[in-house]
Amino acid sequence: DDAAPPVLADPETFYKYEPIRKALERSIAALKEMKAPSDNTVVYVNTTERGVKIVNVAPINMGSLIGGKLRSLNSLIVTSATIAIGSNPEHAFDDIKRQLGLDYIGPALPTAPAVPGAPAVPQAPVTLYKPIRELILGTPFDFNTQALLYVPKHTLMPVSQTGLEAERNTYVDSIVRECKNLIKASNGNAFVLFTSSEDLKVVHAKLLEEGLDQELITQSDDAESAFKLFMKTPQSVLLGLKSFWEGVDVVGDKLRLVIIVKLPFPMVSDPVLKARERVLITQLVARGMSESTAKGSVFSTIQIPMMVTDLRQGAGRLIRSRTDKGVLAILDPRVWTGSGKTYDSHGWTAQDNLETAIRAGLIPCGYISVTASQTGSYHIAMGKSAVTQEIWNKLALVFVDVELQG
């Protein structure tokens, strides 16, 4: 029923039931969209770990829905520590503008015909809205003295639970070994961040077998309770998922180690992501690009910005004040080598990965230079003042495949 809701005389009753009415309206709108989805809608079903099936209705492109409304406002401030992508300031906000529909210029307007009766000639597109002002501010933290970045080359390429069992077990063992050494070196007070609940479960089980002195806390359905338990338990370690990659603020020595197990690339099987990729490929082919080239651009246009944003969020858990010190460990060798099929085929090299990610501030940690030796190995130069000398001495035993200088 599209009739206007009745006006309630009692304000208390109105405010009590208004959220329910709005929730019902959203559900009805979703059901209508599910029945007759638009070109900008994807409908899919997923199953929870408890076997419950959920029907989802999601927009493919949010920008087309909200861009015009946002640009029509008298003033709008879009701010975040992670929305600038890449080292070129002229294009740093291209991705967020595309997502929010703020890159819209406007249609071409016809000019008056030069000769009466002749067809009007379109002129150049005109800007219908106020220009966007962009500003990138530097960090208040000194990452060169507050943080160390540990990126071992000897860890194995990620293997999911659907991979070969032997390769999967070997991969998990290598992650457990790194986590154990790092946790011992820092004496706990650590986050271990995962992109997969299955990885979290199996790594947690194997770490328990190692008999660590530090208490291991895993994220359950109640992330808030897990966080409270971490905060009140000395030298504890929290193994967490998406909830702990962002929005968690731990100041001081309670968090001195953040381990990112795997680069947070979006799931290629995500129905919304697949729909966005199809739309992008269609748009690029329509502009004259070959289909193979268009498919290749999906990685740099959609997947890389999503991964980089999430990576920066996770890395940002470590340093939260000017006095914080700690170590960020990324246990994914693709930072060094690429996948061999994705990074390298798009012109990425091991040195490019680090230089682009770290020098541009995508991974906010102390960094001086990366150089390649004649043997093909890489040397990272970083300061030693990020952690106490005691922890540094322990960590020196862990850095097996990188040479520390300075």
Side-chain angles (χ1 to χ4, degrees):
D1 191 335
D2 295 328
V7 178
L8 300 178
D10 181 6
E12 184 177 345
T13 303
F14 174 80
Y15 288 115
K16 178 180 179 181
Y17 290 103
E18 179 65 4
I20 299 176
R21 183 183 69 83
K22 289 185 176 181
L24 288 173
E25 285 182 347
R26 288 193 295 268
S27 298
I28 292 172
L31 289 171
K32 289 181 178 179
E33 188 69 21
M34 189 187 308
K35 182 179 180 181
S38 66
D39 292 339
N40 192 39
T41 300
V42 58
V43 181
Y44 63 98
V45 179
N46 69 298
T47 305
T48 67
E49 292 183 354
R50 297 180 178 179
V52 178
K53 293 188 179 297
I54 300 176
V55 180
N56 301 270
V57 181
I60 298 174
N61 180 7
M62 282 294 297
S64 63
L65 300 177
I66 64 175
K69 296 177 181 179
L70 294 178
R71 293 297 299 269
S72 65
L73 298 174
N74 289 330
S75 63
L76 171 68
I77 299 176
V78 180
T79 178
S80 171
T82 58
I83 58 175
I85 302 294
S87 57
N88 186 343
E90 294 184 4
H91 299 285
F93 296 103
D94 285 359
D95 181 65
I96 189 64
K97 287 192 292 186
R98 176 181 58 80
Q99 289 187 52
L100 297 179
L102 300 179
D103 56 352
Y104 179 67
I105 299 298
L109 301 179
T111 59
V115 179
V121 179
Q123 62 183 21
V126 297
T127 301
L128 300 181
Y129 306 113
K130 295 178 181 178
I132 296 176
R133 298 180 181 180
E134 301 175 358
L135 177 64
I136 300 177
L137 299 175
T139 175
F141 308 134
D142 183 1
F143 291 116
N144 287 309
T145 60
Q146 289 185 255
L148 284 173
L149 173 65
Y150 172 46
V151 188
K153 292 187 296 182
H154 57 273
T155 50
L156 302 178
M157 197 68 72
V159 179
S160 70
Q161 60 267 32
T162 59
L164 295 176
E165 183 177 359
E167 294 181 358
R168 169 71 173 172
N169 291 339
T170 303
Y171 165 69
V172 170
D173 287 343
S174 72
I175 294 300
V176 170
R177 183 167 53 252
E178 290 294 329
C179 289
K180 179 187 70 174
N181 290 339
L182 287 165
I183 290 169
K184 282 185 174 181
S186 70
N187 191 22
N189 286 359
F191 276 4
V192 185
L193 302 179
F194 295 83
T195 60
S196 159
S197 60
E198 182 62 30
D199 286 351
L200 187 155
K201 290 177 182 177
V202 68
V203 170
H204 174 243
K206 286 183 173 290
L207 282 175
L208 288 176
E209 295 174 0
E210 297 291 336
L212 291 169
D213 295 331
Q214 299 77 19
E215 182 171 344
L216 303 177
I217 301 168
T218 61
Q219 176 184 346
S220 57
D221 292 337
D222 187 357
E224 184 177 355
S225 295
F227 180 66
K228 289 180 179 179
L229 181 59
F230 167 78
M231 293 299 294
K232 71 180 184 181
T233 306
Q235 282 72 55
S236 55
V237 179
L238 194 152
L239 287 72
L241 295 166
K242 182 65 175 177
S243 300
F244 291 97
W245 285 73
E246 56 189 45
V248 179
D249 192 20
V250 182
V251 179
D253 194 52
K254 180 56 187 169
L255 185 62
R256 52 177 173 250
L257 169 66
V258 171
I259 302 174
I260 292 177
V261 173
K262 189 187 301 182
L263 292 178
F265 281 103
M267 292 181 60
V268 294
S269 59
D270 183 344
V272 179
L273 178 65
K274 292 172 70 174
R276 288 174 182 166
E277 292 176 350
R278 287 195 299 269
V279 169
L280 176 63
I281 292 172
T282 300
Q283 291 174 342
L284 294 178
V285 170
R287 296 174 190 171
M289 185 179 292
S290 70
E291 186 173 351
S292 60
T293 304
K295 288 181 178 179
S297 68
V298 164
F299 180 73
S300 59
T301 305
I302 296 180
Q303 295 183 21
I304 280 288
M306 292 178 69
M307 182 276 289
V308 165
T309 299
D310 285 346
L311 178 61
R312 295 178 70 185
Q313 288 281 6
R317 298 312 96 209
L318 182 64
I319 303 301
R320 308 299 296 176
S321 75
R322 294 177 187 270
T323 58
D324 282 3
K325 296 181 184 295
V327 172
L328 169 65
I330 302 177
L331 307 183
D332 192 327
R334 290 175 294 181
V335 172
W336 288 101
T337 63
S339 68
K341 297 180 180 179
T342 308
Y343 279 119
D344 296 344
S345 65
H346 290 82
W348 287 70
T349 65
Q351 187 167 344
D352 289 336
N353 290 340
L354 284 176
E355 294 219 359
T356 300
I358 307 172
R359 189 180 294 280
L362 306 186
I363 304 174
C365 275
Y367 171 77
I368 300 175
S369 64
V370 175
T371 56
S373 68
Q374 292 182 348
T375 61
S377 62
Y378 287 82
H379 306 291
I380 304 179
M382 291 182 285
K384 292 186 179 180
S385 58
V387 287
T388 66
Q389 190 63 39
E390 179 183 1
I391 294 179
W392 172 264
N393 290 337
K394 292 178 181 178
L395 282 174
L397 302 176
V398 182
F399 281 74
V400 267
D401 280 338
V402 293
E403 176 182 331
L404 297 172
Q405 305 169 352

